[in-house]
Amino acid sequence: MKQKLSLLFIPQEKNNYKSLLTHPSFLGIFIAVYLLNQSLIRSFTILKPGVLGYSSEITVQKVIKLTNQERQKNGLPQLVYNQDLASSATNKAKDMFAYNYWAHNSPSGKTPWDFFKEIGYDYSTAGENLAKDFYDTDSMVKAWMKSPTHRDNILHAKYKEIGIGVVNGTLNGVKTTLVVQHFGLPLNLASVSNQQNPPNDLNSESPVLTETQQILSQENSAPLISPLQISKTLGIIMFTILILAMLTDGYITMKNKTKRLAGSATGHISFLAIILMLLLFSQQGSIF
Amino acid sequence: MKTDILKDLKKNPFEFILLFLILLTGALFFLYFSFNSHYQRRVIYATGAAYCFWSLIHHYRRGDLQLSIVVEYILIALFATILLTGTLF
C-alpha cells in the first residue's frame, strides 16, 4: 500500500522517474472519473427529479427594493410595481419550468413580448431579465448590474413599471428558483398613476410569498443537495491531488537532479493553481 | 531537459512572465464576466488554448518539443477546462 502510494507521488525508477499521478494515462483517468460523476448526477436528476437543487431566499419585495436602489444611485426615478407585469413575469417563469428551457425565447418560438401581450399589457418599450440558481437577492441583483445588457434594463430611463416573478420548480431535473424581471413603459401613461399596491411594504425584509411561491415553496422545504457543490468538491479534491503530486514530483526531481523529458512543472502548477482558484471562488447562479 | 522549477524560472524569465500574463488575463476576464456563462466558457477555452500555445513556444525554445510533451499539455488543459466548465455550467 505504502509502495503504491509512493509510486503515485514520488518519481522513481519504477514509474520512469515521473510520479504516476502526472502521467498522461492518470490524467485520462482523472477526466474519466469526473465525466462519470457528471453523468451520474445527470442520470440521477432524470431518475429522481427534484432531489438535487438550489435553495433560495429570494423575495419579490427585495428584488424591487434593490432594483429601485440601483436606479436611485444613478439618479433615475423609482419603478412602480405593476400587477400585470408581475403576472407576465410569473407566467414566463412557469413556462420555462413547464417546457424545460432557460432562455428569453421558448423552444416553440414564444418571445418575452408574447407574455406581455397575453396579459393585455400594452407597452411602447419593454424588457426582460432572467436569473436562476441564486441563493440570495443581493448577489442576483449584483450579477445583473455587472452585465451590461441586464444593467441597461435596470437603468433604462424610459421604463416606468416593473413586475417580478419568483417561482420555485424543477428545471432539467434540478430544483431551483427562477426569477423573471419584466420592465415596461405603458402606452397609456395615465395608467401608471392608478397603480395597484405592491405585494407588500417594500421596506419589509420578511419574505412574503406570491401565490405561486406559496404553492411551490413547499416542494423546496427540505434542504437541497446542490449539484454544483458535489461537482465543485470533487473538482477541488482532484485539483489538489494533482497539484500536490506535481509539487512533490518537481521537488524530488530538482533534489535528485534527474534529467528527463517532461512538461514544465512550473507551467503546469501555475495553470492548475489559477483554475483551482477560479473554481474555489465561483458562486452559484446564472443570468440570461 | 532538466525539470527544475527554479532553474526553469531563472533561465526563461520572459517566457514565464508571458505565461503568468496569460493566466492573469484569463482569470481577470473570468471574474469580470461573473455569472455570464457564455463569456466565461469562452474565456476558459481561450485560456486553455493559450496555455497549450505557450507550451509549444516554451519547449521549442528549449529544444525539447516532442509529441509526448504536447499530449501532456493538451491533457492538462483538457482536464482543467472540463472540470471548470462541467462544474460551473
Side-chain angles (χ1 to χ4, degrees):
Chain A
M1 180 72 182
K2 216 174 176 182
Q3 204 189 352
K4 276 181 187 170
L5 264 176
S6 99
L7 280 172
L8 286 176
F9 286 92
I10 297 165
Q12 50 199 273
E13 197 182 350
K14 280 184 183 171
N15 55 23
N16 202 19
Y17 297 101
K18 197 171 194 300
S19 66
L20 271 183
L21 286 171
T22 63
H23 274 247
S25 51
F26 265 81
L27 287 172
I29 291 172
F30 269 111
I31 294 171
V33 168
Y34 182 77
L35 290 177
L36 180 70
N37 169 69
Q38 293 301 94
S39 317
L40 286 174
I41 290 177
R42 175 69 68 186
S43 310
F44 192 72
T45 57
I46 294 165
L47 295 170
K48 297 253 177 199
V51 174
L52 297 177
Y54 300 94
S55 57
S56 168
E57 55 166 36
I58 294 167
T59 62
V60 170
Q61 291 75 31
K62 206 163 179 201
V63 179
I64 297 174
K65 182 184 164 188
L66 293 180
T67 303
N68 277 328
Q69 273 179 6
E70 293 296 339
R71 287 178 68 88
Q72 272 186 313
K73 276 186 216 165
N74 288 276
L76 292 162
Q78 292 202 7
L79 297 170
V80 185
Y81 172 80
N82 178 285
Q83 184 55 50
D84 286 341
L85 284 181
S87 300
S88 70
T90 304
N91 289 346
K92 170 62 187 270
K94 282 180 181 173
D95 196 67
M96 286 194 282
F97 280 126
Y99 296 100
N100 216 29
Y101 69 96
W102 164 243
H104 288 297
N105 295 335
S106 79
S108 61
K110 204 171 175 182
T111 68
W113 327 126
D114 293 325
F115 291 93
F116 287 82
K117 285 174 198 161
E118 273 175 11
I119 45 100
Y121 185 84
D122 295 320
Y123 59 89
S124 57
T125 312
E128 178 182 84
N129 279 349
L130 304 178
K132 72 171 173 115
D133 302 342
F134 282 92
Y135 175 70
D136 63 306
T137 319
D138 294 73
S139 55
M140 182 185 71
V141 174
K142 272 182 195 162
W144 274 334
M145 289 304 289
K146 279 183 81 177
S147 154
T149 51
H150 297 89
R151 183 188 160 89
D152 283 352
N153 263 342
I154 290 171
L155 302 181
H156 200 303
K158 282 187 179 173
Y159 294 148
K160 297 278 182 211
E161 296 178 323
I162 188 170
I164 309 291
V166 181
V167 181
N168 296 326
T170 304
L171 189 74
N172 291 320
V174 176
K175 269 187 182 179
T176 191
T177 302
L178 293 181
V179 181
V180 180
Q181 218 178 15
H182 274 177
F183 304 92
L185 171 68
L187 273 177
N188 179 13
L189 280 171
S191 69
V192 178
S193 55
N194 300 325
Q195 269 315 301
Q196 293 165 30
N197 289 327
N200 194 23
D201 174 13
L202 295 186
N203 293 320
S204 167
E205 294 298 321
S206 60
V208 172
L209 303 176
T210 60
E211 191 187 337
T212 320
Q213 274 183 293
Q214 283 169 343
I215 297 163
L216 293 167
S217 63
Q218 287 163 6
E219 291 176 29
N220 265 12
S221 54
L224 296 167
I225 308 160
S226 154
L228 175 77
Q229 269 317 318
I230 299 172
S231 304
K232 198 170 169 174
T233 308
L234 179 69
I236 290 167
I237 292 169
M238 283 182 160
F239 270 108
T240 310
I241 290 173
L242 200 54
I243 290 171
L244 279 176
M246 282 180 176
L247 279 170
T248 318
D249 181 82
Y251 174 74
I252 291 170
T253 310
M254 182 179 75
K255 202 176 146 194
N256 296 342
K257 296 189 169 136
T258 313
K259 287 185 180 179
R260 67 178 190 189
L261 187 68
S264 159
T266 321
H268 290 334
I269 293 166
S270 311
F271 179 66
L272 292 173
I274 285 278
I275 300 288
L276 175 62
M277 295 299 276
L278 296 179
L279 192 63
L280 279 169
F281 292 110
S282 60
Q283 292 170 292
Q284 72 177 55
S286 59
I287 54 174
F288 201 76
Chain B
M1 287 192 278
K2 193 191 288 182
T3 304
D4 178 335
I5 295 175
L6 291 173
K7 206 168 181 177
D8 231 9
L9 280 167
K10 279 180 191 169
K11 211 175 166 184
N12 312 295
F14 293 110
E15 284 174 29
F16 284 97
I17 287 170
L18 175 69
L19 174 67
F20 297 141
L21 279 176
I22 289 169
L23 298 179
L24 197 67
T25 310
L28 289 176
F29 270 105
F30 183 87
L31 296 174
Y32 178 76
F33 291 120
S34 290
F35 304 110
N36 191 329
S37 55
H38 294 277
Y39 284 111
Q40 278 190 320
R41 201 186 283 263
R42 285 175 197 173
V43 169
I44 296 166
Y45 293 152
T47 309
Y51 173 65
C52 289
F53 186 68
W54 173 86
S55 75
L56 295 178
I57 299 170
H58 178 66
H59 287 279
Y60 176 75
R61 284 171 61 98
R62 261 180 27 162
D64 63 350
L65 184 60
Q66 301 276 332
L67 183 65
S68 63
I69 288 185
V70 177
V71 170
E72 185 179 320
Y73 278 92
I74 290 172
L75 278 171
I76 286 187
L78 262 180
F79 168 76
T81 50
I82 287 174
L83 251 75
L84 199 56
T85 53
T87 302
L88 300 183
F89 315 121

